[in-house]
Amino acid sequence: MMRPLSARELLSVWEQGLVQTSIQRGLSLLAVASPDLLPDALARLTVGQRDGRLLTLRAWTFGEQIAGLSTCPACGERLEFTFRTGDVLLPMAEEMPASFDLDVDGYHLCFRLPDSQDITAVSQNGSDATTARQQLLQRCLLAANYQGEAQTVEALPPAIIATLTDQMAKADPQADMQTAFCCPACGNEWQAVFDIISFFWTEIDAWAMRTFRQVHELASAYHWPEADILAMSAWRRQMYLSMVNH
């Protein structure tokens, strides 16, 4: 079970995340919000399970409304976008099957869904997108047979690879959150991936800077310790700040 993070916990995770990768930051947030789960268990969550939990945690932390900016790839126009976490949060079972079977055109494939460990391993290799996809499939394809003979990922026909990739995406739909855009300046339409970890972390970073300034002002005015100030609700801190700056 997850729970919301306190201001003190959020600042602690932010400080820890200063030297972490994006994926590590996401897992650190979930580790504090899910104290009953070990770090290895969180790392083995599918990408969709992880991102679904982060969407929920983000809604608890900053509200359901999400607002941001995107750039038109055709003309460079800057566009604002807004949606609610409920618009992209999909229902998902807590437990996912350890593996999936796929039979297509004489091929029998057994695969599992990518997790944070897989994405980290592939990203560390610095490969291009095509090579990275193949490496990811190599990690997640548990077995492949064609008419009783074992097959490697490299030996699979492009059509079989495409079907396998499609089945993986259908089994973990939360892993690929796409946002549709239409540029009012040039009429270009495109879709962009919404990266909840990067978006959430950018918000946390801005919140941390604001919170440090609030703590500094209140501690300077009232000589309260940081722990007491952080234990206050955001509304109470703002009320005291308005009196200090009156």
Side-chain angles (χ1 to χ4, degrees):
M1 295 291 291
M2 283 207 312
R3 61 171 178 78
L5 302 183
S6 68
R8 189 171 185 176
E9 289 172 331
L10 201 55
L11 279 181
S12 179
V13 175
W14 170 84
E15 186 174 7
Q16 181 182 351
L18 293 176
V19 294
Q20 291 182 321
T21 65
S22 180
I23 290 177
Q24 288 172 337
R25 289 169 175 173
L27 294 178
S28 292
L29 286 164
L30 292 181
V32 179
S34 310
D36 294 336
L37 288 179
L38 295 175
D40 283 348
L42 290 171
R44 289 195 300 270
L45 291 173
T46 70
V47 174
Q49 286 178 309
R50 181 198 70 194
D51 289 358
R53 290 174 183 231
L54 285 170
L55 275 170
T56 298
L57 187 58
R58 192 273 174 194
W60 289 347
T61 306
F62 296 127
E64 290 198 4
Q65 188 78 8
I66 286 180
L69 293 172
S70 184
T71 302
C72 175
C75 70
E77 181 79 4
R78 297 279 280 175
L79 284 75
E80 295 182 357
F81 66 87
T82 60
F83 60 88
R84 298 177 68 82
T85 56
D87 296 335
V88 294
L89 185 59
L90 303 174
M92 181 175 292
E94 284 293 317
E95 296 292 333
M96 294 284 281
S99 63
F100 298 81
D101 292 300
L102 173 64
D103 291 291
V104 54
D105 294 341
Y107 287 85
H108 176 74
L109 309 177
C110 180
F111 65 92
R112 63 175 178 81
L113 298 175
D115 58 30
S116 296
Q117 294 172 325
D118 297 315
I119 305 301
T120 298
V122 170
S123 62
Q124 287 175 342
N125 294 332
S127 305
D128 57 55
T130 301
T131 303
R133 186 182 72 164
Q134 185 176 48
Q135 291 173 344
L136 192 62
L137 288 176
Q138 288 173 337
R139 292 178 63 91
C140 295
L141 186 61
L142 305 178
N145 290 276
Y146 179 66
Q147 296 181 349
E149 293 187 9
Q151 304 288 311
T152 64
V153 171
E154 295 80 4
L156 296 178
I160 300 300
I161 291 289
T163 301
L164 172 60
T165 302
D166 184 60
Q167 289 300 309
M168 294 174 74
K170 288 180 178 178
D172 199 24
Q174 193 73 75
D176 186 24
M177 287 183 281
Q178 298 279 343
T179 304
F181 294 95
C182 180
C183 179
C186 69
N188 181 47
E189 296 183 0
W190 77 99
Q191 286 193 327
V193 174
F194 177 70
D195 183 350
I196 179 57
I197 298 181
S198 296
F199 187 89
F200 194 9
W201 192 260
T202 298
E203 291 183 309
I204 291 172
D205 189 62
W207 171 86
M209 295 300 101
R210 293 194 303 270
T211 301
F212 281 128
R213 285 193 292 269
Q214 291 177 353
V215 170
H216 170 72
E217 289 187 44
L218 292 178
S220 299
Y222 296 107
H223 307 290
W224 293 332
E226 180 188 69
D228 289 353
I229 297 172
L230 292 178
M232 297 178 185
S233 68
W235 289 107
R236 181 170 293 189
R237 284 200 303 270
Q238 193 58 50
M239 184 61 69
Y240 281 118
L241 283 169
S242 65
M243 294 177 181
V244 169
N245 297 320
H246 184 67

mmCIF file of all heavy atoms in Angstrom, residues 46-85:
data_model
loop_
_atom_site.group_PDB
_atom_site.id
_atom_site.type_symbol
_atom_site.label_atom_id
_atom_site.label_comp_id
_atom_site.label_asym_id
_atom_site.label_seq_id
_atom_site.Cartn_x
_atom_site.Cartn_y
_atom_site.Cartn_z
ATOM 1 N N THR A 46 6.860 -3.654 -13.344
ATOM 2 C CA THR A 46 6.912 -3.299 -14.756
ATOM 3 C C THR A 46 6.944 -1.773 -14.874
ATOM 4 O O THR A 46 6.575 -1.051 -13.942
ATOM 5 C CB THR A 46 5.704 -3.843 -15.518
ATOM 6 O OG1 THR A 46 4.525 -3.124 -15.119
ATOM 7 C CG2 THR A 46 5.524 -5.338 -15.269
ATOM 8 N N VAL A 47 7.386 -1.282 -16.015
ATOM 9 C CA VAL A 47 7.444 0.160 -16.218
ATOM 10 C C VAL A 47 6.058 0.781 -16.028
ATOM 11 O O VAL A 47 5.918 1.847 -15.428
ATOM 12 C CB VAL A 47 8.003 0.474 -17.622
ATOM 13 C CG1 VAL A 47 7.940 1.972 -17.900
ATOM 14 C CG2 VAL A 47 9.439 -0.031 -17.742
ATOM 15 N N GLY A 48 5.031 0.110 -16.506
ATOM 16 C CA GLY A 48 3.676 0.617 -16.344
ATOM 17 C C GLY A 48 3.224 0.639 -14.891
ATOM 18 O O GLY A 48 2.581 1.591 -14.447
ATOM 19 N N GLN A 49 3.546 -0.421 -14.148
ATOM 20 C CA GLN A 49 3.194 -0.442 -12.726
ATOM 21 C C GLN A 49 3.902 0.692 -11.983
ATOM 22 O O GLN A 49 3.302 1.371 -11.151
ATOM 23 C CB GLN A 49 3.594 -1.790 -12.112
ATOM 24 C CG GLN A 49 2.705 -2.958 -12.484
ATOM 25 C CD GLN A 49 3.216 -4.257 -11.879
ATOM 26 O OE1 GLN A 49 4.396 -4.597 -12.012
ATOM 27 N NE2 GLN A 49 2.337 -4.978 -11.218
ATOM 28 N N ARG A 50 5.173 0.867 -12.278
ATOM 29 C CA ARG A 50 5.951 1.943 -11.641
ATOM 30 C C ARG A 50 5.368 3.309 -11.952
ATOM 31 O O ARG A 50 5.119 4.121 -11.053
ATOM 32 C CB ARG A 50 7.395 1.867 -12.131
ATOM 33 C CG ARG A 50 8.329 2.917 -11.537
ATOM 34 C CD ARG A 50 9.577 3.049 -12.401
ATOM 35 N NE ARG A 50 9.263 3.673 -13.689
ATOM 36 C CZ ARG A 50 10.095 3.675 -14.730
ATOM 37 N NH1 ARG A 50 11.269 3.040 -14.654
ATOM 38 N NH2 ARG A 50 9.753 4.282 -15.855
ATOM 39 N N ASP A 51 5.114 3.580 -13.239
ATOM 40 C CA ASP A 51 4.634 4.897 -13.633
ATOM 41 C C ASP A 51 3.211 5.157 -13.160
ATOM 42 O O ASP A 51 2.852 6.298 -12.852
ATOM 43 C CB ASP A 51 4.731 5.054 -15.147
ATOM 44 C CG ASP A 51 6.174 5.177 -15.624
ATOM 45 O OD1 ASP A 51 7.079 5.182 -14.770
ATOM 46 O OD2 ASP A 51 6.385 5.251 -16.849
ATOM 47 N N GLY A 52 2.387 4.101 -13.088
ATOM 48 C CA GLY A 52 1.051 4.271 -12.544
ATOM 49 C C GLY A 52 1.099 4.694 -11.080
ATOM 50 O O GLY A 52 0.336 5.567 -10.641
ATOM 51 N N ARG A 53 1.985 4.084 -10.323
ATOM 52 C CA ARG A 53 2.139 4.461 -8.906
ATOM 53 C C ARG A 53 2.666 5.889 -8.777
ATOM 54 O O ARG A 53 2.241 6.643 -7.889
ATOM 55 C CB ARG A 53 3.083 3.481 -8.205
ATOM 56 C CG ARG A 53 2.488 2.087 -8.032
ATOM 57 C CD ARG A 53 3.499 1.111 -7.459
ATOM 58 N NE ARG A 53 2.931 -0.233 -7.380
ATOM 59 C CZ ARG A 53 2.952 -0.985 -6.291
ATOM 60 N NH1 ARG A 53 3.533 -0.538 -5.192
ATOM 61 N NH2 ARG A 53 2.414 -2.188 -6.284
ATOM 62 N N LEU A 54 3.588 6.269 -9.658
ATOM 63 C CA LEU A 54 4.122 7.623 -9.605
ATOM 64 C C LEU A 54 3.060 8.662 -9.981
ATOM 65 O O LEU A 54 3.046 9.758 -9.406
ATOM 66 C CB LEU A 54 5.335 7.745 -10.525
ATOM 67 C CG LEU A 54 6.615 7.088 -10.002
ATOM 68 C CD1 LEU A 54 7.688 7.060 -11.087
ATOM 69 C CD2 LEU A 54 7.135 7.815 -8.767
ATOM 70 N N LEU A 55 2.189 8.334 -10.909
ATOM 71 C CA LEU A 55 1.085 9.233 -11.239
ATOM 72 C C LEU A 55 0.185 9.455 -10.028
ATOM 73 O O LEU A 55 -0.238 10.578 -9.741
ATOM 74 C CB LEU A 55 0.267 8.662 -12.393
ATOM 75 C CG LEU A 55 0.738 8.946 -13.817
ATOM 76 C CD1 LEU A 55 -0.057 8.095 -14.806
ATOM 77 C CD2 LEU A 55 0.586 10.421 -14.154
ATOM 78 N N THR A 56 -0.120 8.370 -9.326
ATOM 79 C CA THR A 56 -0.949 8.472 -8.122
ATOM 80 C C THR A 56 -0.253 9.309 -7.060
ATOM 81 O O THR A 56 -0.865 10.193 -6.436
ATOM 82 C CB THR A 56 -1.250 7.074 -7.569
ATOM 83 O OG1 THR A 56 -1.986 6.319 -8.543
ATOM 84 C CG2 THR A 56 -2.063 7.155 -6.284
ATOM 85 N N LEU A 57 1.046 9.060 -6.853
ATOM 86 C CA LEU A 57 1.799 9.805 -5.853
ATOM 87 C C LEU A 57 1.881 11.277 -6.226
ATOM 88 O O LEU A 57 1.801 12.153 -5.357
ATOM 89 C CB LEU A 57 3.204 9.206 -5.721
ATOM 90 C CG LEU A 57 4.091 9.761 -4.599
ATOM 91 C CD1 LEU A 57 3.422 9.582 -3.242
ATOM 92 C CD2 LEU A 57 5.456 9.084 -4.626
ATOM 93 N N ARG A 58 2.010 11.547 -7.504
ATOM 94 C CA ARG A 58 2.067 12.942 -7.950
ATOM 95 C C ARG A 58 0.748 13.643 -7.656
ATOM 96 O O ARG A 58 0.724 14.804 -7.221
ATOM 97 C CB ARG A 58 2.388 12.987 -9.438
ATOM 98 C CG ARG A 58 2.748 14.386 -9.937
ATOM 99 C CD ARG A 58 1.499 15.145 -10.338
ATOM 100 N NE ARG A 58 1.797 16.519 -10.686
ATOM 101 C CZ ARG A 58 0.888 17.465 -10.815
ATOM 102 N NH1 ARG A 58 -0.387 17.203 -10.590
ATOM 103 N NH2 ARG A 58 1.228 18.691 -11.134
ATOM 104 N N ALA A 59 -0.379 12.959 -7.895
ATOM 105 C CA ALA A 59 -1.687 13.549 -7.616
ATOM 106 C C ALA A 59 -1.834 13.839 -6.126
ATOM 107 O O ALA A 59 -2.395 14.875 -5.741
ATOM 108 C CB ALA A 59 -2.795 12.624 -8.099
ATOM 109 N N TRP A 60 -1.353 12.940 -5.293
ATOM 110 C CA TRP A 60 -1.409 13.170 -3.845
ATOM 111 C C TRP A 60 -0.540 14.349 -3.431
ATOM 112 O O TRP A 60 -0.854 15.057 -2.475
ATOM 113 C CB TRP A 60 -0.932 11.926 -3.100
ATOM 114 C CG TRP A 60 -1.863 10.768 -3.163
ATOM 115 C CD1 TRP A 60 -3.162 10.763 -3.587
ATOM 116 C CD2 TRP A 60 -1.567 9.413 -2.806
ATOM 117 N NE1 TRP A 60 -3.690 9.499 -3.505
ATOM 118 C CE2 TRP A 60 -2.738 8.648 -3.020
ATOM 119 C CE3 TRP A 60 -0.428 8.774 -2.319
ATOM 120 C CZ2 TRP A 60 -2.799 7.284 -2.772
ATOM 121 C CZ3 TRP A 60 -0.481 7.408 -2.069
ATOM 122 C CH2 TRP A 60 -1.659 6.673 -2.293
ATOM 123 N N THR A 61 0.550 14.568 -4.127
ATOM 124 C CA THR A 61 1.534 15.581 -3.738
ATOM 125 C C THR A 61 1.171 16.972 -4.242
ATOM 126 O O THR A 61 1.207 17.944 -3.488
ATOM 127 C CB THR A 61 2.932 15.200 -4.269
ATOM 128 O OG1 THR A 61 3.260 13.881 -3.847
ATOM 129 C CG2 THR A 61 3.990 16.166 -3.754
ATOM 130 N N PHE A 62 0.828 17.080 -5.521
ATOM 131 C CA PHE A 62 0.595 18.395 -6.125
ATOM 132 C C PHE A 62 -0.788 18.551 -6.751
ATOM 133 O O PHE A 62 -1.062 19.579 -7.371
ATOM 134 C CB PHE A 62 1.660 18.668 -7.201
ATOM 135 C CG PHE A 62 3.066 18.754 -6.660
ATOM 136 C CD1 PHE A 62 4.078 17.966 -7.202
ATOM 137 C CD2 PHE A 62 3.382 19.609 -5.626
ATOM 138 C CE1 PHE A 62 5.373 18.038 -6.723
ATOM 139 C CE2 PHE A 62 4.672 19.691 -5.128
ATOM 140 C CZ PHE A 62 5.670 18.904 -5.676
ATOM 141 N N GLY A 63 -1.650 17.555 -6.614
ATOM 142 C CA GLY A 63 -2.976 17.643 -7.204
ATOM 143 C C GLY A 63 -3.074 16.904 -8.529
ATOM 144 O O GLY A 63 -2.068 16.489 -9.103
ATOM 145 N N GLU A 64 -4.287 16.742 -9.009
ATOM 146 C CA GLU A 64 -4.517 15.955 -10.222
ATOM 147 C C GLU A 64 -4.233 16.723 -11.507
ATOM 148 O O GLU A 64 -3.980 16.117 -12.547
ATOM 149 C CB GLU A 64 -5.957 15.433 -10.246
ATOM 150 C CG GLU A 64 -6.239 14.353 -9.217
ATOM 151 C CD GLU A 64 -7.500 13.574 -9.540
ATOM 152 O OE1 GLU A 64 -8.099 13.830 -10.610
ATOM 153 O OE2 GLU A 64 -7.870 12.711 -8.743
ATOM 154 N N GLN A 65 -4.276 18.043 -11.450
ATOM 155 C CA GLN A 65 -4.065 18.835 -12.668
ATOM 156 C C GLN A 65 -2.590 18.855 -13.049
ATOM 157 O O GLN A 65 -1.719 19.138 -12.225
ATOM 158 C CB GLN A 65 -4.564 20.268 -12.458
ATOM 159 C CG GLN A 65 -4.578 21.121 -13.717
ATOM 160 C CD GLN A 65 -5.764 20.820 -14.608
ATOM 161 O OE1 GLN A 65 -6.662 20.082 -14.217
ATOM 162 N NE2 GLN A 65 -5.780 21.386 -15.800
ATOM 163 N N ILE A 66 -2.302 18.546 -14.295
ATOM 164 C CA ILE A 66 -0.935 18.582 -14.819
ATOM 165 C C ILE A 66 -0.878 19.619 -15.930
ATOM 166 O O ILE A 66 -1.706 19.621 -16.837
ATOM 167 C CB ILE A 66 -0.506 17.199 -15.349
ATOM 168 C CG1 ILE A 66 -0.218 16.260 -14.176
ATOM 169 C CG2 ILE A 66 0.720 17.303 -16.246
ATOM 170 C CD1 ILE A 66 0.212 14.871 -14.590
ATOM 171 N N ALA A 67 0.089 20.518 -15.851
ATOM 172 C CA ALA A 67 0.254 21.566 -16.857
ATOM 173 C C ALA A 67 1.723 21.652 -17.242
ATOM 174 O O ALA A 67 2.612 21.552 -16.387
ATOM 175 C CB ALA A 67 -0.241 22.908 -16.327
ATOM 176 N N GLY A 68 1.974 21.813 -18.523
ATOM 177 C CA GLY A 68 3.353 21.891 -18.975
ATOM 178 C C GLY A 68 3.459 22.542 -20.333
ATOM 179 O O GLY A 68 2.486 23.102 -20.856
ATOM 180 N N LEU A 69 4.667 22.492 -20.917
ATOM 181 C CA LEU A 69 4.939 23.093 -22.211
ATOM 182 C C LEU A 69 5.535 22.046 -23.140
ATOM 183 O O LEU A 69 6.272 21.156 -22.709
ATOM 184 C CB LEU A 69 5.912 24.265 -22.074
ATOM 185 C CG LEU A 69 5.422 25.505 -21.319
ATOM 186 C CD1 LEU A 69 6.584 26.477 -21.114
ATOM 187 C CD2 LEU A 69 4.304 26.189 -22.093
ATOM 188 N N SER A 70 5.214 22.169 -24.414
ATOM 189 C CA SER A 70 5.811 21.319 -25.440
ATOM 190 C C SER A 70 6.183 22.199 -26.628
ATOM 191 O O SER A 70 5.649 23.291 -26.789
ATOM 192 C CB SER A 70 4.833 20.217 -25.867
ATOM 193 O OG SER A 70 5.442 19.337 -26.797
ATOM 194 N N THR A 71 7.111 21.718 -27.440
ATOM 195 C CA THR A 71 7.571 22.473 -28.605
ATOM 196 C C THR A 71 7.189 21.743 -29.882
ATOM 197 O O THR A 71 7.446 20.540 -30.020
ATOM 198 C CB THR A 71 9.102 22.665 -28.563
ATOM 199 O OG1 THR A 71 9.460 23.339 -27.354
ATOM 200 C CG2 THR A 71 9.568 23.492 -29.752
ATOM 201 N N CYS A 72 6.580 22.444 -30.804
ATOM 202 C CA CYS A 72 6.204 21.852 -32.084
ATOM 203 C C CYS A 72 7.459 21.452 -32.842
ATOM 204 O O CYS A 72 8.340 22.300 -33.074
ATOM 205 C CB CYS A 72 5.386 22.838 -32.904
ATOM 206 S SG CYS A 72 4.988 22.227 -34.577
ATOM 207 N N PRO A 73 7.593 20.193 -33.237
ATOM 208 C CA PRO A 73 8.790 19.755 -33.965
ATOM 209 C C PRO A 73 8.888 20.328 -35.371
ATOM 210 O O PRO A 73 9.967 20.302 -35.971
ATOM 211 C CB PRO A 73 8.644 18.232 -33.999
ATOM 212 C CG PRO A 73 7.173 17.983 -33.874
ATOM 213 C CD PRO A 73 6.638 19.092 -33.020
ATOM 214 N N ALA A 74 7.790 20.874 -35.895
ATOM 215 C CA ALA A 74 7.792 21.398 -37.260
ATOM 216 C C ALA A 74 8.204 22.869 -37.326
ATOM 217 O O ALA A 74 9.006 23.258 -38.170
ATOM 218 C CB ALA A 74 6.419 21.208 -37.900
ATOM 219 N N CYS A 75 7.637 23.683 -36.419
ATOM 220 C CA CYS A 75 7.898 25.123 -36.503
ATOM 221 C C CYS A 75 8.523 25.721 -35.247
ATOM 222 O O CYS A 75 8.889 26.900 -35.239
ATOM 223 C CB CYS A 75 6.600 25.868 -36.830
ATOM 224 S SG CYS A 75 5.378 25.880 -35.492
ATOM 225 N N GLY A 76 8.622 24.941 -34.173
ATOM 226 C CA GLY A 76 9.243 25.442 -32.950
ATOM 227 C C GLY A 76 8.314 26.230 -32.046
ATOM 228 O O GLY A 76 8.764 26.773 -31.019
ATOM 229 N N GLU A 77 7.040 26.295 -32.375
ATOM 230 C CA GLU A 77 6.071 27.002 -31.531
ATOM 231 C C GLU A 77 5.953 26.316 -30.167
ATOM 232 O O GLU A 77 5.946 25.098 -30.070
ATOM 233 C CB GLU A 77 4.702 27.016 -32.220
ATOM 234 C CG GLU A 77 3.614 27.747 -31.452
ATOM 235 C CD GLU A 77 3.689 29.249 -31.592
ATOM 236 O OE1 GLU A 77 4.557 29.736 -32.357
ATOM 237 O OE2 GLU A 77 2.876 29.931 -30.949
ATOM 238 N N ARG A 78 5.878 27.134 -29.122
ATOM 239 C CA ARG A 78 5.723 26.606 -27.765
ATOM 240 C C ARG A 78 4.242 26.473 -27.443
ATOM 241 O O ARG A 78 3.471 27.424 -27.604
ATOM 242 C CB ARG A 78 6.405 27.518 -26.754
ATOM 243 C CG ARG A 78 7.899 27.643 -26.939
ATOM 244 C CD ARG A 78 8.638 26.475 -26.337
ATOM 245 N NE ARG A 78 8.778 26.619 -24.896
ATOM 246 C CZ ARG A 78 9.312 25.687 -24.115
ATOM 247 N NH1 ARG A 78 9.719 24.546 -24.638
ATOM 248 N NH2 ARG A 78 9.436 25.878 -22.813
ATOM 249 N N LEU A 79 3.839 25.289 -26.978
ATOM 250 C CA LEU A 79 2.437 25.019 -26.675
ATOM 251 C C LEU A 79 2.271 24.654 -25.210
ATOM 252 O O LEU A 79 3.088 23.914 -24.647
ATOM 253 C CB LEU A 79 1.903 23.862 -27.526
ATOM 254 C CG LEU A 79 1.575 24.098 -29.001
ATOM 255 C CD1 LEU A 79 2.850 24.186 -29.827
ATOM 256 C CD2 LEU A 79 0.706 22.969 -29.509
ATOM 257 N N GLU A 80 1.212 25.178 -24.623
ATOM 258 C CA GLU A 80 0.846 24.768 -23.279
ATOM 259 C C GLU A 80 -0.072 23.551 -23.361
ATOM 260 O O GLU A 80 -0.868 23.437 -24.290
ATOM 261 C CB GLU A 80 0.138 25.895 -22.536
ATOM 262 C CG GLU A 80 0.995 27.121 -22.275
ATOM 263 C CD GLU A 80 0.253 28.184 -21.489
ATOM 264 O OE1 GLU A 80 -0.959 27.966 -21.195
ATOM 265 O OE2 GLU A 80 0.850 29.214 -21.162
ATOM 266 N N PHE A 81 0.056 22.645 -22.396
ATOM 267 C CA PHE A 81 -0.867 21.504 -22.340
ATOM 268 C C PHE A 81 -1.304 21.282 -20.903
ATOM 269 O O PHE A 81 -0.556 21.562 -19.957
ATOM 270 C CB PHE A 81 -0.215 20.226 -22.907
ATOM 271 C CG PHE A 81 0.944 19.692 -22.101
ATOM 272 C CD1 PHE A 81 0.731 18.823 -21.034
ATOM 273 C CD2 PHE A 81 2.246 20.045 -22.428
ATOM 274 C CE1 PHE A 81 1.790 18.317 -20.301
ATOM 275 C CE2 PHE A 81 3.318 19.543 -21.696
ATOM 276 C CZ PHE A 81 3.093 18.681 -20.633
ATOM 277 N N THR A 82 -2.521 20.811 -20.752
ATOM 278 C CA THR A 82 -3.058 20.485 -19.432
ATOM 279 C C THR A 82 -3.888 19.214 -19.542
ATOM 280 O O THR A 82 -4.546 18.976 -20.553
ATOM 281 C CB THR A 82 -3.953 21.615 -18.870
ATOM 282 O OG1 THR A 82 -5.053 21.832 -19.754
ATOM 283 C CG2 THR A 82 -3.165 22.904 -18.695
ATOM 284 N N PHE A 83 -3.827 18.399 -18.520
ATOM 285 C CA PHE A 83 -4.713 17.247 -18.384
ATOM 286 C C PHE A 83 -4.705 16.825 -16.932
ATOM 287 O O PHE A 83 -3.944 17.370 -16.116
ATOM 288 C CB PHE A 83 -4.292 16.090 -19.310
ATOM 289 C CG PHE A 83 -2.900 15.561 -19.075
ATOM 290 C CD1 PHE A 83 -2.659 14.566 -18.150
ATOM 291 C CD2 PHE A 83 -1.824 16.053 -19.814
ATOM 292 C CE1 PHE A 83 -1.379 14.067 -17.940
ATOM 293 C CE2 PHE A 83 -0.544 15.562 -19.622
ATOM 294 C CZ PHE A 83 -0.325 14.573 -18.682
ATOM 295 N N ARG A 84 -5.545 15.887 -16.587
ATOM 296 C CA ARG A 84 -5.615 15.394 -15.219
ATOM 297 C C ARG A 84 -4.998 14.000 -15.165
ATOM 298 O O ARG A 84 -5.033 13.246 -16.155
ATOM 299 C CB ARG A 84 -7.074 15.362 -14.736
ATOM 300 C CG ARG A 84 -7.736 16.730 -14.712
ATOM 301 C CD ARG A 84 -9.191 16.658 -14.292
ATOM 302 N NE ARG A 84 -9.334 16.265 -12.895
ATOM 303 C CZ ARG A 84 -9.228 17.105 -11.872
ATOM 304 N NH1 ARG A 84 -8.962 18.379 -12.088
ATOM 305 N NH2 ARG A 84 -9.387 16.675 -10.637
ATOM 306 N N THR A 85 -4.421 13.667 -14.027
ATOM 307 C CA THR A 85 -3.800 12.351 -13.890
ATOM 308 C C THR A 85 -4.806 11.241 -14.163
ATOM 309 O O THR A 85 -4.450 10.204 -14.716
ATOM 310 C CB THR A 85 -3.192 12.179 -12.491
ATOM 311 O OG1 THR A 85 -4.208 12.409 -11.494
ATOM 312 C CG2 THR A 85 -2.050 13.164 -12.259
#
